[in-house]
Amino acid sequence: MALSLRISSSPLICRATLANGDNGRNHHAKDAAFIRRAADLAEMSAGLTSPHPNFGCVIATSSGKVAGEGYLYAQGTKPAEALAVEAAGEFCRGSTAYLNMEPGDCHGDHAAVSALVQAGIERVVVGIRHPLQHLRGSAIRELRSQGIEVNVLGEDFESKVLEDARKACLLVNAPLIHRACSRVPFSVLKYAMTLDGKIAASSGHAAWISSKLSRTRVFELRGRSDAVIVGGNTVRQDDPRLTARHGQGHTPTRIVMTQSLDLPEKANLWDVSEVPTIIVTQRGARRSFQKFLASKGVEVVEFDMLNPREVMEYFHLRGYLSILWECGGTLAASAISSSVIHKVVAFVAPKIIGGRNAPSPVGELGMVEMTQALNLMDVCYEQVGPDMLVTGFLQPIPDLIPVIPSEDATVEIDPSVNPFESSIIFFYKTWDLYGSFSNFSPHPIRMPCGEDNDDYMTWPSVEHYYQANKFVGVENPMAHDCVEKIRTARSPEEAALIGRSTLRQKPELVRNDWEDVKIEVMYMALKCKFSTYPHLKSMLLSTAGSVLVESSPHDLFWGGGREGEGLNYLGRLLMQLRSEFFDDSSVSAENTFLA
């Protein structure tokens, strides 16, 4: 859940001690401490918000006390700023809000900005501007237009302590920044090795090099990632599950990269009941085994030339923000050589195994002199139980300013550029301009549960309502419980997870007519949503003449699929709804004229 604190019950005092000196230095130290706190809060949502950025907000009074805090729990939940305002209450007026990143509300209702303005916030300090071009600078301009003083680190003032705070803001959203500046997801190479640099014995045995505490940290790393990637040899040798194993929250997709598709018929990764597995391989490899994997529900993607760069570009197009590489030395070396690895996380255990043929974490890179060695940047050391954890970056986080010009700057260069004009409008993820068209957007609707039910209730999103309707009318207490669990799910993702897993594991709880009515259920929920929120209706009407495509690469019913092979029913329903709204407007205009 989102973290919130009220000053009246449990005040949180900023831990930073302001340095003695001039007011400017003290002012910078205070701002830096609160910005770092906002970044720490944002870090708490890592792995839960993807593809949304990680947002944290701290509201501090003029006396330097925290009045309220909040962080984004998941895509489709309240903004961090709104949660912090709720927690601070009356103490917001005249206070300063500290944000690790500029608000970026793709849903069109500017909820984060509105919360700060209506609460009476006097000043806003922003760690970094939003990295996405269509959102960059817009919230800052809106806040300033409302008379709120806005300061951006590195632009309005600079100092060493503020630069360190700004770096913390860059780190917490490094995956999104890399997506905005490149064509590959943010990739982390993780491995555990002995003190003499081995990841397994000469026999290949590797359990366990690191301690239990270190393995727990690995589960946390997986939970922060969109996907985990391994090579074929890891599947053959270790038969991994690659789950997060923390009992809640996000479980990453499993990806196996294998050129020959020489994989066993029995493997833990072929169980896709809880989390999907994707195999990427060379085109034409073991066609019969591909059919076997497909029968298990495992997705196989073929490449003409299988290399890490093309694979990562492909998963970038599929919307992945961050990928954790847990592969062997050969694939690790190939990924590093392809410049797709951005960060290294190495657990070093105080053990010596020896062995001339024992494998090492990174295979041949073609380097013959120590001067060619790759140096890590921003290196950190941490003791985890008996092990030493070493982390560092192989590539710096891109500079936002020269790579991603603001919309104003783009128009100034070429006035004919209009990013809003397009014959086909794609929507799917939170970085999309029309992200609010998604059934996962955070717009509550009031709808009865079932056709024969007159008892209206509030559903947190269209997806909550849609998933719950799978089990409506079934005379089984478990079905009733499932409906309530979905209705109270903390995010649309959780609602979808409950609904989909129950449908798969307990099909007897699903209503008999679900396949016949599900499109109508979705349409009625969408109609309620766009009728309830005028700004959404206006946004939908503004797309007149454009084809709407829900560009989910893996949903071939509601989405358009990877190559347009999907049925795109969500896009169709929105276009149908758009036509209905236009027809209603025409009738209203005609009645007005006749009157």
Side-chain angles (χ1 to χ4, degrees), residues 312-335:
M312 288 299 96
E313 289 177 353
Y314 167 77
F315 282 106
H316 164 271
L317 293 175
R318 286 189 64 158
Y320 287 72
L321 276 179
S322 57
I323 291 183
L324 181 65
W325 293 66
E326 295 194 52
C327 53
T330 302
L331 183 52
S334 179

Side-chain angles (χ1 to χ4, degrees), residues 25 28 46 64 115 123-124 132 141 163 211 276 307 310 356 391 393 395 404 438 454 537 553:
R25 187 182 299 115
H28 285 186
R123 177 174 176 250
V124 173
L132 301 180
R141 288 192 297 271
E163 180 56 32
S211 66
N307 62 70
E310 289 196 17
R356 182 171 57 186
T391 62
F393 288 82
Q395 301 181 37
I404 309 172
S438 169
D454 294 329
K537 183 177 179 180

